[in-house]
Amino acid sequence: MQIFYKYKDGLFKAFPVLLTLVLTVMAAVMLMNAEPKKEESVPAVAYYEKVVALTFDDGPGYKTTMTLLDGLKERDVHATFFLLGQQIEERKEVIERMHEDGHLIGNHTYSHIQLDTVNIVCALDEIEKTNQIIEEITGEKPKYIRPPYGSWSDTLEEEIDMTPVLWTVDTSDWNTRDVNRIVNYVVNEVESGDIILMHDIYDTSVAAALEIVDQLKSRGFVFVTVDELLIE
C-alpha cells in the first residue's frame, strides 16, 4: 500500500515505509492508553505455608492497647482490631496510631449489642455510628464487622454492606486471664488459615498475644490481617 502527497504541480510518491511508521506509532499510542490488566486478588495462604490472623475485640483500651501496638511494631506484625464505638471517643490517638502502624480496623458495634436480638433500625444505628467515628479519625470507612457474640442473620446480610468476620480459635482470654494457659492453648491448636480471637483490654491478653506471636513466628507462621485471608 502506498500514499501520495500533492505538491504544487507535481505528484510525489511517498515510500511505503512511511505508512508502516504511522501504523506503528498508532499502535504504540493505543497500547499506552489501554487499561492495565487487573490482577486477581490472591489469598495470603497461597503465598505462605503457614499463615494466621490475630484479631482483637472490645477495644481500644488505652495503656493495654498502646503496649500491644508497641509490641506488634517491634515484631513487624499487623493485626485486626474490631472496635467498640463507645470506647473510641476518648481514645482517638490510639486509633490514629493503630491506623498509622498499618493494622486493619473493623467495627464491633457501638455498645457491644447483640445484633440479631434488636430491630434492624437499632442494629444499623449501632453499626453506622461506629463506622462514622472510625472514618472521621482514619479517613476510611470500615469494610469488616465482627458481630458481638458472633450473632448474625440473613436480614443483616441484606441490609449491611460489610463483611462479617467470626473466628476459628477462641482463646477465652477474657475469662481465664491466665497468660500461660492462653498461650499453650493457641500454639497447640492453631493451624494455617486460622483467625485467633483475643481482647486488647486486658494486660494478660496483651502479654499472651505477644508470646503467641513469638512462638508462632519461631514455627514459621506469618501473621496477616483478615482481609489478606480473603474470607469474604
Side-chain angles (χ1 to χ4, degrees):
M1 187 175 181
Q2 296 176 325
I3 54 176
F4 297 85
Y5 292 96
K6 188 173 182 182
Y7 180 71
K8 292 185 179 179
D9 297 328
L11 196 63
F12 293 88
K13 184 184 294 185
F15 292 100
V17 71
L18 180 59
L19 178 60
T20 302
L21 178 61
V22 171
L23 293 176
T24 300
V25 172
M26 291 176 63
V29 171
M30 292 175 64
L31 184 61
M32 292 174 61
N33 292 332
E35 291 187 4
K37 183 179 179 181
K38 295 182 179 179
E39 295 184 2
E40 294 184 2
S41 297
V42 179
V45 290
Y47 289 111
Y48 305 107
E49 182 179 352
K50 297 179 180 179
V51 62
V52 66
L54 192 58
T55 68
F56 298 91
D57 287 7
D58 294 358
Y62 188 82
K63 181 180 178 181
T64 53
T65 303
M66 282 298 203
T67 299
L68 177 61
L69 292 174
D70 288 340
L72 294 175
K73 188 170 185 177
E74 289 173 4
R75 292 161 174 78
D76 193 25
V77 164
H78 291 145
T80 303
F81 291 85
F82 293 100
L83 308 180
L84 290 175
Q86 65 183 10
Q87 292 282 91
I88 298 173
E89 294 178 291
E90 300 299 321
R91 297 162 181 165
K92 293 183 179 180
E93 64 271 32
V94 181
I95 313 307
E96 291 171 347
R97 164 79 185 278
M98 206 177 276
H99 180 64
E100 290 171 0
D101 285 357
H103 300 289
L104 182 65
I105 298 175
N107 190 320
H108 198 43
T109 74
Y110 186 82
S111 60
H112 207 273
I113 195 168
Q114 188 166 336
L115 292 171
D116 63 351
T117 64
V118 298
N119 65 60
I120 192 64
V121 174
C122 179
L124 291 175
D125 181 63
E126 282 271 330
I127 295 167
E128 186 55 34
K129 189 188 301 184
T130 302
N131 277 346
Q132 289 177 356
I133 295 171
I134 293 173
E135 187 174 10
E136 287 174 1
I137 299 172
T138 67
E140 297 178 8
K141 185 176 180 179
K143 298 179 181 179
Y144 298 88
I145 180 170
R146 172 163 286 160
Y149 314 102
S151 298
W152 197 245
S153 68
D154 291 339
T155 302
L156 291 167
E157 188 75 32
E158 294 173 0
E159 294 289 337
I160 300 169
D161 186 23
M162 299 179 74
T163 301
V165 179
L166 300 182
W167 56 88
T168 55
V169 176
D170 185 353
T171 63
S172 295
D173 59 331
W174 60 273
N175 185 35
T176 64
R177 310 288 181 90
D178 185 321
V179 174
N180 290 332
R181 184 173 175 181
I182 296 167
V183 172
N184 290 335
Y185 175 74
V186 173
V187 298
N188 288 324
E189 295 293 326
V190 73
E191 297 178 354
S192 183
D194 273 338
I195 299 173
I196 302 171
L197 169 62
M198 301 192 74
H199 301 78
D200 56 316
I201 55 175
Y202 307 111
D203 291 323
T204 49
S205 296
V206 171
L210 296 179
E211 180 61 27
I212 287 168
V213 169
D214 291 340
Q215 291 202 29
L216 292 186
K217 286 188 76 171
S218 71
R219 291 170 51 184
F221 278 88
V222 175
F223 286 84
V224 299
T225 51
V226 294
D227 57 326
E228 294 177 282
L229 289 178
L230 296 184
I231 58 178
E232 297 180 58

